[in-house]
Amino acid sequence: MRQAVVIYDGDCGFCRSICAFCRSLDWLRRLRWVPLDDPSVERYGIPRIALARRLYLVQGPRQWSGFAAVTRILMRLPLLAPFGVLALLLSPLGERCYDFVARHRYCLPGSTCRPGF
C-alpha cells in the first residue's frame, strides 16, 4: 500500500494531538502528516478554505475529506483497523459528528478556544 498524505490543521492543538497519536500507531509508515499551511499542499488542488474546514486524505488522484478521511486513516493503522470497519457502518451519523467536532475543534482540550471560527 502506497503512503497516503493526511492534510490537517497544524494550528489546532486538538488536531496536533490526534496526529501525534496516529503517528505513534503508524508502525508501517502508511501515512504522511502535513499541516495545511505547508506550501506542498498546493499540489493537491484543494481550496485553502476547504482545507481549513476539514481533514483531507490524499492518495494518488483520490481524495477523501471529513469522516471518510478518518475512516480510511483508521483502516491504514493496524491497531485501529477494526474501528475503521465499524466507522464504515456509521458513516451517516459519523459525518454529522465529524462536522460538529470540526466546527468546535478550537474549543476542545489541547486547543485555545477561538470563538466564531
Side-chain angles (χ1 to χ4, degrees):
M1 183 178 293
R2 272 192 353 235
Q3 191 178 47
V5 175
V6 180
I7 304 170
Y8 70 100
D9 184 352
D11 289 333
C12 168
F14 177 74
C15 302
R16 287 192 311 269
S17 297
I18 296 297
C19 172
F21 174 72
C22 289
R23 279 181 173 162
S24 72
L25 297 177
D26 189 10
W27 309 314
L28 303 173
R29 301 293 175 240
R30 291 182 171 166
L31 301 169
R32 183 168 59 90
W33 297 79
V34 181
L36 66 88
D37 60 348
D38 187 299
S40 70
V41 302
E42 292 177 15
R43 76 176 74 153
Y44 302 110
I46 303 167
R48 175 103 26 226
I49 190 73
L51 292 172
R53 291 186 177 145
R54 298 171 70 87
L55 173 80
Y56 274 80
L57 177 72
V58 180
Q59 186 170 19
R62 308 245 359 227
Q63 298 176 354
W64 298 271
S65 70
F67 191 71
V70 170
T71 300
R72 282 160 179 83
I73 290 167
L74 293 172
M75 300 284 278
R76 284 172 168 76
L77 303 174
L79 196 60
L80 299 180
F83 296 104
V85 173
L86 180 62
L88 284 173
L89 301 173
L90 301 175
S91 287
L93 176 62
E95 198 63 49
R96 280 181 269 168
C97 290
Y98 176 89
D99 287 337
F100 177 83
V101 170
R103 279 192 312 273
H104 298 91
R105 69 186 180 269
Y106 287 109
C107 293
L108 293 172
S111 290
T112 304
C113 192
R114 295 194 321 199
F117 178 78

